[in-house]
Amino acid sequence: MTNGKGLWAFIGALVLLLLAVTWAWYQSSGKLQPAAIVGDVTISEAEYVSALKQKFGKQVLDDLVNREVVFQEAKRLGISADPKQIEQELAQIRDSYGSQTDSEFEQALQKQAGTTVDSLKREITYQILLQTLATRDIAISDDEVLKVYESRAERYSRPKQVRLRQIAVASQKEAEQVLAELRQGANFQTLAKERSIDSRTAAIGGDLGWLSVRDHQLPDEAWNAIEKLKAKDNSEPVKVDDNYVIYHLEQSREATQRSFEEVKEELRREIAFAQVESLDTVLARLRESVGVQLFGQMPH
């Protein structure tokens, strides 16, 4: 699921789900609440939701119907999503957010995508079930899967990674002062917020997220210092362009390689999925199988 097509499908689905949540909230909250006040004019919640319905109504309804169709048909056929694959997909998304704890991940999802971990798991489950239903009649041999795996082995490898924070200051003297404070027990995240001049990371405690070792986002002189660190260590000041930077190593992950057995079924589905007719056709067939009735007029 974590290819380009799957990512955009996931983002689009989140947008649609957010719209659906807005409708549900509106239905339970009444029609008189204001959505915005512009000068002396009030835009009501009813006007806001009506505009959403006019613009996105059919798309949202189709999406909700498609989801229910997929879950019902999968249940009828005894098809379920492998919990291990759900967790693998979730872990990859979590890594992309750079979250260290469950709480951080939950907060990042709420802030950046307006969703929850449970909703995200349901979305992943939907994508897996849809892919499985779409490819259930397509046979792909182990030899064909192995050939593709061997041609893409690097795709299933992950280089050593480090989770970093940084404090960037304008002079070596100030960097030495910051380092002295850290040695006396000052909190790195707090100092980053107070002293770092890097606008991109200062507000989030200097967080650079997870980086692959020797990633080009950092210069060689930075990596030379970082590679000497153990978890929770701080580097000596490193001159980067016109600034001086202190790096903090939160934690590291050793390089990994997912084996053929680990990815075989996932890759088999992906190969089969590439041979599938359009998803619109697949969903239309599933809707006909389950039976769908739409009521009322819905704008296009």
Side-chain angles (χ1 to χ4, degrees):
M1 190 187 80
T2 49
N3 53 26
K5 181 191 298 183
L7 178 61
W8 284 111
F10 165 66
I11 292 171
L14 280 181
V15 171
L16 295 175
L17 285 176
L18 288 173
L19 290 170
V21 168
T22 300
W23 288 5
W25 180 88
Y26 157 72
Q27 292 293 336
S28 64
S29 301
K31 301 182 179 181
L32 300 179
Q33 299 211 24
I37 298 176
V38 183
D40 58 357
V41 175
T42 297
I43 299 174
S44 71
E45 195 70 33
E47 292 175 290
Y48 169 49
V49 174
S50 177
L52 285 176
K53 187 174 180 180
Q54 286 293 321
K55 190 168 185 179
F56 299 108
K58 184 178 186 302
Q59 190 179 5
V60 171
L61 182 59
D62 280 345
D63 185 73
L64 294 174
V65 167
N66 288 342
R67 286 164 190 282
E68 188 58 34
V69 161
V70 166
F71 282 112
Q72 286 191 27
E73 186 68 354
K75 183 177 180 179
R76 184 182 73 82
L77 295 170
I79 294 172
S80 60
D82 183 353
K84 185 180 292 187
Q85 187 185 1
I86 294 173
E87 290 303 319
Q88 287 173 346
E89 297 286 354
L90 189 65
Q92 290 184 48
I93 296 171
R94 175 175 170 158
D95 285 354
S96 73
Y97 278 86
S99 304
Q100 281 187 285
T101 65
D102 290 343
S103 177
E104 283 183 358
F105 184 38
E106 188 84 48
Q107 291 174 13
L109 282 176
Q110 287 283 3
K111 183 176 181 180
Q112 298 180 41
T115 191
T116 65
V117 172
D118 285 343
S119 295
L120 182 54
K121 285 183 177 179
R122 185 169 174 82
E123 171 62 29
I124 293 169
T125 301
Y126 167 72
Q127 296 288 342
I128 293 172
L129 292 177
L130 175 57
Q131 193 176 76
T132 303
L133 287 169
T135 60
R136 60 190 295 263
D137 295 325
I138 300 176
I140 306 294
S141 70
D142 282 357
D143 286 345
E144 185 177 352
V145 178
L146 179 59
K147 184 176 180 180
V148 173
Y149 173 81
E150 290 175 341
S151 71
R152 305 179 186 173
E154 72 285 348
R155 171 179 166 183
Y156 300 103
S157 66
R158 187 183 70 193
K160 182 176 180 179
Q161 294 181 316
V162 289
R163 175 78 185 272
L164 298 172
R165 294 185 185 273
Q166 68 171 11
I167 298 174
V169 294
S171 69
Q172 185 171 5
K173 181 179 179 180
E174 186 176 2
E176 295 291 350
Q177 291 173 345
V178 169
L179 191 57
E181 291 180 48
L182 291 169
R183 286 171 176 161
Q184 292 169 10
N187 181 272
F188 194 97
Q189 294 184 46
T190 300
L191 280 186
K193 291 176 181 178
E194 294 174 351
R195 307 281 287 275
S196 182
I197 59 175
D198 182 73
S199 59
R200 182 172 60 92
T201 61
I204 52 176
D207 191 7
L208 286 168
W210 285 99
L211 298 177
S212 297
V213 171
R214 294 290 168 179
D215 186 298
H216 293 309
Q217 290 186 53
L218 300 180
D220 286 344
E221 52 268 32
W223 285 117
N224 292 339
I226 291 164
E227 287 179 332
K228 298 174 184 176
L229 302 178
K230 296 179 181 179
K232 307 305 179 184
D233 281 353
N234 301 317
S235 75
E236 295 293 325
V238 179
K239 192 173 190 309
V240 178
D241 297 327
D242 295 327
N243 298 327
Y244 289 82
V245 183
I246 298 169
Y247 295 99
H248 174 80
L249 177 61
E250 289 276 0
Q251 61 185 119
S252 61
R253 295 175 178 150
E254 293 304 315
T256 60
Q257 175 74 43
R258 295 177 69 193
S259 70
F260 174 65
E261 288 301 319
E262 286 179 296
V263 305
K264 181 169 68 174
E265 294 310 315
E266 173 187 331
L267 186 53
R268 192 194 308 276
R269 281 193 299 271
E270 184 179 323
I271 297 168
F273 197 59
Q275 300 177 21
V276 167
E277 56 200 317
S278 75
L279 278 183
D280 286 344
T281 303
V282 171
L283 286 166
R285 188 171 65 247
L286 292 174
R287 287 166 74 128
E288 183 176 354
S289 174
V290 172
V292 174
Q293 298 181 64
L294 301 179
F295 299 93
Q297 296 292 319
M298 185 64 64
H300 292 266

